[in-house]
Amino acid sequence: MEKEIKKWWEGNSKGYQKESKIPIDIHYGPGAPNERVLKLLGNLKGKKILEIGCGGAQCGIAMAKKGAKVIGIDISEEQLKFAKKLSEKNKVNIKFYQGNIESLKMIKSNSQDIVFTAWALLYVGNLDKCFKEVFRVLKKRGIFVLSMPHPFYDTISERALKVKRSYFDNGKFRDRDFVAYHHTFSDIINIIINSKLNIEKVIEPDSRKKHKGDPWYGLWGFTKKKMYYFPSTIIIKARKK
Ligand SMILES: C[S@@+](CC[C@H](N)C(=O)[O-])C[C@H]1O[C@@H](n2cnc3c(N)ncnc32)[C@H](O)[C@@H]1O
């Protein structure tokens, strides 16, 4: 399963980065304000941060520029190649690992102040395994901040805004060679609770207008019309007690 996802990213990384032109910034995805507005992470100076599903590392680089010690993990060689070049260009030192984030075996237990992830969890089938690993690597009082597609967003077609599928259609889906997972809202919340992390905040950003630093607004499935009516992203902040 992750083989198909990896293959898609290996083949589409260049085009994705070229089209989206993601700025160096701590973003939360299509239709969402950035960290400058949401202020979920606090002061990053000296903090140990693990970014899972880091892609081109635009977030990780912005965190490193604020004085954080960042590790990035991604499944795709091409995405990591891009991330390494970009971090060199920005003169920051980030340690990168290639791997499936269902396991964080390369990261020591109780070692991270923050685990962060933006729009990568839609590619993870076993969120349960992943979030238990997040719990393991976080220090006591450490935070997990995630953003992912709003579970409702993909039930509606992009242009005609017609219902495409049942909200309850959970699990793997395929659109030609693109493969990812649908998770319902309660699934995501309950998996966080089961992993013993305490939820502190849930945000459904208002996507009716373009937020500063959102490179996806109007691109691909993120049409202005659809984002006006339906929420595109959810953001959750949780803490290891
Ligand atoms: C939409 S991109 C988001 C990248 C980055 N977080 C950002 O916000 O720009 C999704 C990323 O998740 C990575 N990915 C997908 N499945 C993964 C997995 N099981 N383990 C690690 N990374 C994965 C992809 O290679 C891709 O770089």
Side-chain angles (χ1 to χ4, degrees), residues 5 9 16 22 27 51 53-55 58 74-76 79 99-101 118-120 123:
I5 290 172
W9 277 102
Y16 173 79
I22 304 167
H27 59 243
E51 184 180 11
C54 63
Q58 289 87 351
D74 202 279
I75 204 166
S76 157
Q79 287 280 78
N100 180 351
I101 55 172
W119 271 72
Y123 302 104

Side-chain angles (χ1 to χ4, degrees), residues 75-218:
I75 204 166
S76 157
E77 261 164 62
E78 283 297 319
Q79 287 280 78
L80 285 173
K81 230 189 256 172
F82 183 92
K84 281 173 194 163
K85 262 198 198 148
L86 197 62
S87 56
E88 274 163 27
K89 196 173 152 201
N90 281 275
K91 300 186 172 53
V92 293
N93 194 15
I94 296 181
K95 189 158 180 58
F96 290 107
Y97 291 101
Q98 190 184 1
N100 180 351
I101 55 172
E102 283 184 7
S103 161
L104 305 175
K105 59 180 185 291
M106 59 292 261
I107 311 296
K108 278 194 196 147
S109 301
N110 309 305
S111 63
Q112 304 298 310
D113 295 294
I114 299 172
V115 176
F116 174 89
T117 182
W119 271 72
L121 296 174
L122 65 153
Y123 302 104
V124 175
N126 197 337
L127 282 186
D128 197 45
K129 215 171 151 195
C130 175
F131 290 1
K132 284 194 171 117
E133 279 287 86
V134 168
F135 179 87
R136 180 183 66 74
V137 303
L138 275 175
K139 290 180 185 171
K140 201 172 161 188
R141 304 278 310 147
I143 58 171
F144 179 34
V145 176
L146 70 89
S147 81
M148 62 192 291
H150 192 289
F152 192 68
Y153 194 70
D154 193 51
T155 59
I156 306 293
S157 67
E158 277 79 53
R159 283 165 221 289
L161 302 191
K162 292 241 167 78
V163 176
K164 284 201 301 195
R165 65 171 180 94
S166 164
Y167 169 76
F168 302 104
D169 241 348
N170 232 351
K172 182 165 106 174
F173 73 95
R174 187 183 295 277
D175 183 0
R176 282 160 291 176
D177 60 338
F178 180 84
V179 184
Y181 292 93
H182 291 130
H183 303 281
T184 60
F185 198 73
S186 57
D187 271 357
I188 298 163
I189 298 290
N190 286 324
I191 295 169
I192 296 174
I193 294 169
N194 285 342
S195 67
K196 301 204 197 87
L197 290 158
N198 277 53
I199 294 172
E200 293 190 344
K201 207 170 214 174
V202 177
I203 304 171
E204 291 176 296
D206 183 345
S207 51
R208 284 177 293 182
K209 65 172 177 65
K210 185 181 193 298
H211 294 280
K212 215 173 166 192
D214 174 358
W216 301 279
Y217 187 84

